[in-house]
Amino acid sequence: MSSIVVVDPYSAGKGIAPAFARRGVDAIAVLTTERPPAGLASTWNPDDYREIHVLHDLDELAAKLAVHDPIAVVPGTETGVEAAETLSELIAPGRSNVLTLSSARRDKWQMAVALRTAGVPHLRQISSDRVDEVAAWLRREGLENSPIVLKPQESGGADDVFVAMPGDDWRAKFHRILGCVNKLDIRNDKVLVQELAVGTEYEVDTYSIDGEHGLVAVWRYAKQRRGDRLGIYLSNTLVESGEPVVGVLFDYVCQVLEATGVRNGPAHVEVMITPEGPRLIEIGARLAGAEQQELTLLGTGESQITRMVRHRVDGDTSVGRYSRRQHVKSVYLSSPAAGELGNSVRFDELASLLPSYQSDALAYREGSTVPRTDDLWTSLGSVVLATTDADQLERDVAMVREIESGLIVV
């Protein structure tokens, strides 16, 4: 029986094994750590896998996996990207991405280096573990009196992403990030400091086959800043593929994919449309995470996972551009403070209140202790809406916001 190897099959990657099982392909799991990162543990489903291996020695594991002659080795989530690409090259050279650029698809600093080398427009930034080096760079770039962003080089979900406005103590934020273990259980040995990109942010999800790139979905983010925290999600909306901005984004993203060596499989690219043009926020050579696979399927009838199955099982080498079948929006809820949640009983009535309601992922109910929302990890959750009626969608969004405004946290 055919098999597919999934490295760190968490988050959206949990959907890979079931999709291939429906086509008679077994899945083998490879974990890069003994246990999943705490923030992803709830998405780990070991019963979906014929075998489970923990990575210790790449060559030894590659020899074990090669016996099964897998049709592909793919990452399930961000933490599995580099290991999956290395294992793929050891087992079946040429089926993955350019191995020498693997770090440019994982480390936010190396992404910028790859773009600079290829002549692709990018944000000014520096990677350092020394405040004096960053201070000198800010002076050299003329950014001493400009807003800047400080973030871990390898993390996700806006984890420990801070903005420092002119006059703020950016050094304190630098030291808060440096040396900490982030939500992906990775120690922040350096801090990425970059100019603040101002504009509208988009998520561009692609699927590539032998260097040809296809467009799976484009989503428009709505975010807000709270104090010095950057990246509180408000909503994520599927963009009509015919909008002019989609062409601008895809042209730029194809340059990013080429510069970072993406040749096969899914990529998740976050781009800001600024007054100077599109600028990369980050790229991941993996599936769009969280519930994005289900949302894309809902809106377009396809997803990166369905394209992966067609590619790897059916040998379908066609790439193309998605078509929106209905309006889809994921609405995120947040809490302005930590405390006990009250007046949330209407969470239980969403299906009857909202004609476009599809699902929700609301982890907190009446009386729960909730965190202050600072990033995606501390969101109260989300409500998924989908309909062919754009006006109904907006009415339902307004209802969700009305419920959110009535929440009490004490």
Side-chain angles (χ1 to χ4, degrees), residues 1-321:
M1 179 179 285
S2 299
S3 63
I4 185 166
V5 177
V6 188
V7 183
D8 284 353
Y10 317 133
S11 185
K14 69 181 180 181
I16 296 175
F20 278 86
R22 289 191 286 271
R23 297 298 306 278
V25 178
D26 278 346
I28 298 171
V30 171
L31 312 187
T32 59
T33 55
E34 293 288 342
R35 298 178 185 82
L40 301 173
S42 64
T43 62
W44 167 226
N45 300 315
D47 292 342
D48 288 341
Y49 303 92
R50 182 174 75 186
E51 295 180 10
I52 299 172
H53 300 270
V54 177
L55 176 60
H56 295 293
D57 182 281
L58 278 165
D59 291 319
E60 181 180 319
L61 180 56
K64 289 180 180 178
L65 297 174
V67 172
H68 300 289
D69 190 23
I71 59 175
V73 181
V74 299
T77 194
E78 187 70 18
T79 56
V81 169
E82 290 180 291
E85 293 179 342
T86 302
L87 284 169
S88 181
E89 195 64 18
L90 288 170
I91 296 168
R95 291 189 194 172
S96 186
N97 299 315
V98 179
L99 193 59
T100 54
L101 287 169
S102 192
S103 63
R105 299 183 289 275
R106 181 76 178 86
D107 182 301
K108 296 177 179 65
W109 166 246
Q110 294 300 330
M111 292 172 199
V113 172
L115 265 59
R116 184 176 63 207
T117 301
V120 180
H122 59 283
L123 296 173
R124 290 176 289 173
Q125 57 191 26
I126 185 174
S127 165
S128 181
D129 58 1
R130 293 168 41 209
V131 293
D132 60 335
E133 185 177 34
V134 173
W137 176 79
L138 291 172
R139 287 193 298 272
R140 189 166 61 250
E141 293 294 328
L143 294 171
E144 286 182 293
N145 297 308
S146 300
I148 58 172
V149 175
L150 301 94
K151 63 176 72 172
Q153 285 187 205
E154 298 181 59
S155 189
D159 175 31
D160 272 350
V161 177
F162 297 96
V163 61
M165 300 302 291
D168 287 351
D169 183 7
W170 62 264
R171 291 171 176 81
K173 306 177 197 306
F174 182 96
H175 287 300
R176 176 169 171 175
I177 298 170
L178 187 66
C180 289
V181 176
N182 63 43
K183 290 291 195 298
L184 297 182
D185 287 349
I186 298 170
R187 182 172 296 280
N188 300 325
D189 293 325
K190 290 189 176 183
V191 179
L192 191 72
V193 181
Q194 61 187 193
E195 61 181 319
L196 176 67
V198 177
T200 302
E201 188 173 355
Y202 292 85
E203 169 191 329
V204 182
D205 298 327
T206 63
Y207 195 89
S208 303
I209 300 176
D210 296 332
E212 295 294 322
H213 309 301
L215 188 58
V216 181
V218 172
W219 298 83
R220 183 181 292 112
Y221 287 146
K223 295 181 181 180
Q224 70 177 179
R225 202 176 82 219
R226 175 172 294 152
D228 63 359
R229 297 308 305 273
L230 186 67
I232 297 175
Y233 286 71
L234 300 177
S235 65
N236 199 14
T237 306
L238 181 63
V239 179
E240 167 58 52
S241 61
E243 283 194 28
V245 72
V246 172
V248 174
L249 285 163
F250 190 48
D251 287 346
Y252 178 75
V253 165
C254 285
Q255 295 179 58
V256 172
L257 295 174
E258 292 296 324
T260 57
V262 173
R263 291 190 51 78
N264 285 288
H268 168 75
V269 192
E270 296 179 354
V271 177
M272 188 78 78
I273 296 291
T274 75
E276 292 74 36
R279 295 293 184 270
L280 178 69
I281 303 299
E282 63 179 74
I283 177 174
R286 41 81 175 174
L287 300 170
E291 76 281 8
Q292 287 304 108
Q293 299 304 308
E294 292 85 352
L295 296 186
T296 301
L297 192 63
L298 191 62
T300 72
E302 286 192 308
S303 71
Q304 289 173 308
I305 291 178
T306 64
R307 292 201 184 197
M308 183 186 294
V309 171
R310 289 208 317 270
H311 173 204
R312 301 300 187 177
V313 178
D314 300 329
D316 186 344
T317 59
S318 62
V319 296
R321 189 158 163 163

Side-chain angles (χ1 to χ4, degrees), residues 219 233-237 291-292 295 298 328-334 346-363 365 379-386 393 396-401 403-404 407:
W219 298 83
Y233 286 71
L234 300 177
S235 65
N236 199 14
T237 306
E291 76 281 8
Q292 287 304 108
L295 296 186
L298 191 62
V328 180
K329 184 185 288 281
S330 187
V331 183
Y332 293 89
L333 300 171
S334 64
R346 295 174 81 187
F347 280 175
D348 299 320
E349 304 169 1
L350 293 176
S352 60
L353 289 172
L354 309 171
S356 66
Y357 173 89
Q358 299 294 319
S359 63
D360 67 73
L362 299 172
R365 287 296 189 267
S379 167
L380 295 184
S382 61
V383 180
V384 175
L385 308 174
L393 184 77
D396 289 354
V397 171
M399 175 64 73
V400 173
R401 292 303 179 210
I403 295 171
E404 181 185 39
L407 297 176

